[in-house]
Amino acid sequence: MSTSQVLNIETPKVDPIKTGVSAEVREQLAKHLSVILAETYMLTVKSHLYHWNVVGPLFKSIHDLTEEHYENLFAATDDLAERIRALGHRAPVNVDEGKLNLTVSLPAGGMPNAFEMIEDLVRSHEMIAAEMRDMAAYAGDNSDPVTEDLLTQRITFHDKAAWMPVSYTHLRAHETDSYLV
């Protein structure tokens, strides 16, 4: 077999698969899971950036928290991509093509302070959890308990990831100069 024959082989974008879930539902699930996968990757990177760059009195708490988050998020990307494949579709290759409408973004205009990092992470986790709730309901309504269960597990993580750091931002609203000294 020549090299040109190997390089000219095209991989189908959809694999023939019979799971008991209709092709249309699998396509919708795969599209939405692709967005969730890309957003999870973006949040992984953001959490890692904040992990490296946090400064101030909350350094240790935020440093440890973001490490837990980016490790969990990175592991989740594999689960999400494998679920897309199990639905008969391919994981997204290029999020910069504008085909995925992402709600999570990386910080622009410099690194935020520790409190802004927490507020940003909370917003990102809340947005992803909300998207996942809609998808989990759709999966359940369309006889795909596997995707529904995966998303339910991820929602549990994101709800906790949004809830726990709120205590830091609550501190900001009630902080005094004497506390930070």
Side-chain angles (χ1 to χ4, degrees):
M1 180 178 279
S2 75
T3 304
S4 62
Q5 289 173 320
V6 173
L7 296 176
N8 288 329
I9 294 173
E10 290 187 26
T11 306
K13 292 185 180 182
V14 179
D15 297 323
I17 191 167
K18 295 181 182 175
T19 64
V21 177
S22 75
E24 296 82 20
V25 169
R26 286 187 292 110
E27 181 179 5
Q28 286 301 310
L29 289 169
K31 284 180 180 179
H32 289 281
L33 285 173
S34 293
V35 172
I36 290 169
L37 172 60
E39 289 183 331
T40 300
Y41 246 115
M42 294 291 283
L43 187 51
T44 303
V45 171
K46 181 189 294 189
S47 297
H48 219 153
L49 289 171
Y50 290 173
H51 170 80
W52 290 326
N53 290 297
V54 66
V55 295
L58 296 176
F59 169 80
K60 179 70 172 146
S61 298
I62 296 173
H63 185 78
D64 292 347
L65 183 70
T66 53
E67 183 173 1
E68 288 175 28
H69 287 188
Y70 72 69
E71 288 176 350
N72 181 294
L73 291 161
F74 186 76
T77 60
D78 194 50
D79 294 336
L80 292 164
E82 288 178 358
R83 186 62 197 150
I84 294 167
R85 292 304 313 271
L87 292 167
H89 293 265
R90 302 295 166 110
V93 176
N94 187 351
V95 298
D96 289 334
E97 291 178 351
K99 293 180 181 175
L100 302 177
N101 189 13
L102 305 181
T103 57
V104 175
S105 60
L106 296 177
M111 197 56 59
N113 68 42
F115 289 108
E116 292 166 340
M117 288 177 181
I118 290 297
E119 290 168 349
D120 185 30
L121 290 171
V122 167
R123 272 191 311 274
S124 296
H125 284 289
E126 288 172 341
M127 286 187 295
I128 290 177
E131 292 171 18
M132 288 181 174
R133 277 186 177 75
D134 291 342
M135 268 318 283
Y138 179 79
D141 291 345
N142 286 281
S143 304
D144 185 359
V146 178
T147 301
E148 181 182 28
D149 183 57
L150 171 63
L151 292 171
T152 300
Q153 291 173 36
R154 296 308 311 150
I155 291 165
T156 301
F157 166 78
H158 288 287
D159 281 353
K160 186 175 180 180
W163 164 78
M164 290 186 77
V166 166
S167 62
Y168 297 127
T169 56
H170 179 74
L171 170 67
R172 183 179 193 188
H174 298 88
E175 73 186 19
T176 65
D177 292 334
S178 62
Y179 175 80
L180 297 175
V181 174

